[in-house]
């Protein structure tokens, strides 16, 4: 499965769900369960690659602003949500995290986490293959050390992400 196929599956599920990330995860799991086990594994490998790619200090700062604080688990759910929003949002956010100010409404900030997206491939694989060896057959990336040079220093965060800081002040 290449990136284009991956993003097509994400976008199809997003359209079917009307943007509701929980429904999106359900639709995605249903679709993945119709694929061959090796295709599901390839989907998960791409998902993990993108989760790793999004493991950046400036994105964590964005999640911190949007969510009013952000633990390591919260940042994982945020990155899964970012993938669920689709290729354009994901790639734009990686290049410019402050761009998220355009797509997230203050009232919907708590919805910018998608823990359920972390499990869709596992559930589809187990349903399709009848096996429980998912962790043995998928790639797991070790997360790099990350320097949260902004810490909880509000002034640094404002300088890094002025649009998000103003919106969520």
């Amino acid at each position: 499965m290449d990136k284009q196929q991956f993003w097509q599956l994400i976008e199809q599920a997003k359209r079917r769900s009307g943007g509701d990330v929980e429904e999106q995860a359900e639709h995605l799991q249903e679709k993945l369960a119709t694929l061959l086990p090796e295709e599901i594994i390839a989907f998960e490998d791409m998902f993990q690659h993108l989760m790793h790619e999004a493991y950046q200090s400036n994105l964590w700062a964005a999640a911190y602003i949007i969510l009013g604080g952000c633990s390591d688990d919260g940042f994982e759910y945020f990155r899964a949500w970012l993938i669920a929003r689709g290729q354009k949002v994901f790639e734009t956010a990686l290049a410019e995290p402050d761009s998220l100010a355009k797509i997230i409404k203050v009232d919907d900030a708590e919805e910018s986490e998608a823990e359920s997206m972390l499990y869709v491939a596992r559930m589809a694989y187990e349903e399709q293959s009848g096996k429980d060896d998912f962790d043995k057959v998928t790639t797991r990336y070790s997360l790099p050390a990350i320097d949260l040079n902004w810490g909880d220093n509000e002034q640094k965060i404002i300088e890094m992400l002025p649009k998000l800081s103003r919106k969520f002040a």
Side-chain angles (χ1 to χ4, degrees), residues 20-154:
D20 180 288
V21 77
E22 295 302 318
E23 274 189 47
Q24 181 180 2
E26 290 174 22
H27 291 304
L28 186 56
Q29 181 179 329
E30 289 171 10
K31 178 62 178 174
L32 290 175
T34 68
L35 303 178
L36 297 171
E38 50 272 8
E39 293 172 307
I40 300 168
I41 291 165
F43 176 92
E44 176 66 10
D45 288 346
M46 181 63 68
F47 185 85
Q48 289 302 321
H49 170 76
L50 294 171
M51 288 287 287
H52 185 266
E53 191 177 335
Y55 191 74
Q56 300 176 7
S57 178
N58 55 356
L59 274 177
W60 201 328
Y64 184 89
I65 293 169
I66 293 163
L67 298 168
C70 188
S71 68
D72 55 346
D73 286 347
F75 186 47
E76 183 176 28
Y77 307 155
F78 178 81
R79 290 179 289 137
W81 171 84
L82 205 52
I83 293 168
R85 294 302 80 203
Q87 184 175 12
K88 183 177 180 186
V89 169
F90 179 81
E91 290 176 353
T92 302
L94 261 61
E96 180 52 52
D98 219 19
S99 68
L100 292 170
K102 293 178 186 174
I103 67 160
I104 299 175
K105 296 176 183 162
V106 174
D107 294 340
D108 297 335
E110 71 278 354
E111 295 176 21
S112 58
E113 294 181 310
E115 181 181 7
S116 57
M117 290 292 290
L118 299 172
Y119 309 109
V120 295
R122 173 185 298 277
M123 302 299 285
Y125 175 82
E126 290 175 358
E127 180 183 333
Q128 175 60 284
S129 71
K131 297 178 182 178
D132 63 355
D133 61 346
F134 189 74
D135 289 331
K136 294 178 185 169
V137 297
T138 55
T139 302
R140 291 287 174 240
Y141 292 89
S142 297
L143 293 174
I146 190 170
D147 179 18
L148 300 179
N149 57 357
W150 47 272
D152 59 359
N153 182 320
E154 205 167 305

